[in-house]
Structures are given as C-alpha cells and as structure tokens.
Amino acid sequence: MVPFLILLFLSVKSISLSHADNVDHSSGNTTHLHFYLHDTLSGPNPTAIPVVQGSTRYKGPGPFGFGTIIVIDDVLTEGPSLTTNAIGRAQGFYTIASLSGSELLLSMNILLTEGEFNASTVTVLGRDNMLDSVRELPVIGGSGKFRMARGYTLFKTYSANASTGDVVLEVDLYVTDSTSPNIDELVPSSDDTTSNGDNPSSASDGNKCLHLNVVMIFVVSCFIAKYLLVVI
C-alpha cells in the first residue's frame, strides 16, 4: 500500500509543477521615454500652486516647509527649454514629507499628448529627495497604451531656483505594459524560465502533461485494486 501512496503523491506533484510551468517569466521590451518637467511656481502663469502652507520652522532648500502641499499641472517638453516641443503634462501633487524639508511624497499622472502614446498615462508614486543627484520613483500603473504598466522613473535636477522654487527636472521613464512583465532589459533572463502562459504551445504542453498524469493515477489505482482483490 505504501508504494501506491508514494506513486500517487509523485503524480499529483507532477500535475502541480506542470501548471506552475505556465506562469509567465518571459522578458519583455521596455519603453524608454526621455523628457523635461517644468515645475513653475513663479510668474504670471504658474503650473504649481501651494494649497496647504506647511511649517516655516522646518524648511529645506526651497521656500516651503514641512507639510506644504503643492498641486501641479506641469508642462513636459522634449528639451530643457519651455520653447521646445511640449509632449504632455504632469498632473498631481507633492507634499514636503520630511522635517528636513528636502524629501517629497510625489503622486502624479504623466499624460502624454504627442506621438504613438497620445492620450496614454503613466502613474508615478514615491519618495523624491531633492538633494540626491538621481532619484528613482516607481511606476504603479497607467492607461491607454500603458494599461497596467509597471516600471520606474529617474529624476535629475536640471535647474533650480531656491528663491522661487522653480525647478526643471530631466526625466527618464522606463515602463512596460501588462504583456511585458520584466522592466529592466539589462537583467538577463533565466535559462529555466518558460514562455507566456497564453502561448498556445505552452498551454498544450501543460494539458498533455496533465492528461498523462491522470492516466497514470488511473492505471496505478486499477493495479492496486486488482492486487487487493487477489489478496482477499
């Protein structure tokens, strides 16, 4: 009886592994977008408006203190100058979330208005330390061509005015949609990963393995039943 239970366990285990092999671990293509974000608080047409004034006791490199909330509808351009071609908007808000006054909690939607990604959005949410030369923030979603997107953004301060708070950021956006789960092309794919579970050949192989294991269980069950009848 014990050998039968061992064979039964191995067969069921094999079925479980055949289903696990259909999990998508394939490497996908990453879309890389490069542009500039203009966060303008001064002048007659600001695109960033403070709606909650924080504490003046805790101030960082800019004019605002801890707890300040600023709503943005910033222009995105191809080059560092506002006179270059506009390709979208950055809409959302950021709050100064550290007592040092230099660390932000940023929540924004990047709306693209030009080219093949017109009307698509990418949602960014994360911590932005203004004093770091390069800041990485995660992409947590998107819409249109970037539906269910994942990825990350890299921010670099191109220029900053400490008195007005005006900032121009250089942005590198790396993003994948739901059909390309891996976001970093520099990471080599593992040799033992399998193709997408939606691939017909992969699904067919999994079904064949399932059927063979069901047949194995049936044959072994018949054999042990016959053995028990002979003994009785």
Side-chain angles (χ1 to χ4, degrees):
M1 191 67 181
V2 174
F4 167 71
L5 293 177
I6 294 176
L7 287 172
L8 181 61
F9 171 77
L10 291 176
S11 298
V12 173
K13 185 65 174 177
S14 179
I15 291 176
S16 300
L17 291 175
S18 69
H19 280 285
D21 287 342
N22 287 330
V23 176
D24 187 6
H25 297 292
S26 61
S27 60
N29 294 323
T30 299
T31 299
H32 174 209
L33 301 177
H34 178 261
F35 52 85
Y36 291 83
L37 183 154
H38 301 263
D39 192 50
T40 306
L41 293 109
S42 64
N45 299 303
T47 59
I49 305 294
V51 295
V52 174
Q53 188 66 44
S55 172
T56 57
R57 179 180 178 183
Y58 302 103
K59 291 183 63 177
F64 303 108
F66 175 62
T68 299
I69 299 176
I70 299 174
V71 177
I72 62 172
D73 187 8
D74 291 338
V75 180
L76 307 177
T77 60
E78 289 183 348
S81 172
L82 270 173
T83 60
T84 58
N85 186 43
I87 56 95
R89 314 287 296 192
Q91 300 170 328
F93 69 91
Y94 58 86
T95 180
I96 299 178
S98 68
L99 294 178
S100 67
S102 63
E103 298 170 23
L104 311 178
L105 171 63
L106 174 64
S107 174
M108 69 177 182
N109 289 316
I110 296 175
L111 169 65
L112 301 172
T113 57
E114 295 289 334
E116 63 176 306
F117 303 117
N118 182 33
S120 297
T121 66
V122 174
T123 302
V124 177
L125 174 65
R127 172 181 175 272
D128 178 9
N129 187 344
M130 296 182 289
L131 298 182
D132 290 343
S133 58
V134 181
R135 291 92 75 186
E136 179 179 331
L137 282 77
V139 169
I140 63 169
S143 66
K145 293 288 185 68
F146 296 120
R147 182 179 299 165
M148 299 180 67
R150 290 293 183 269
Y152 60 92
T153 58
L154 298 178
F155 286 172
K156 300 176 185 177
T157 300
Y158 180 83
S159 65
N161 187 315
S163 60
T164 64
D166 293 352
V167 175
V168 177
L169 298 178
E170 183 178 1
V171 182
D172 284 287
L173 173 64
Y174 298 88
V175 63
T176 63
D177 58 25
S178 58
T179 62
S180 303
N182 292 335
I183 64 174
D184 196 342
E185 292 180 339
L186 299 180
V187 178
S189 59
S190 174
D191 291 336
D192 54 357
T193 56
T194 61
S195 60
N196 193 310
D198 294 331
N199 188 313
S201 62
S202 177
S204 176
D205 292 343
N207 290 333
K208 289 178 181 178
C209 185
L210 176 62
H211 294 158
L212 289 174
N213 282 281
V214 170
V215 171
M216 181 185 294
I217 293 175
F218 177 75
V219 171
V220 172
S221 299
C222 292
F223 175 79
I224 196 65
K226 181 179 179 180
Y227 173 79
L228 290 175
L229 288 175
V230 171
V231 171
I232 293 173

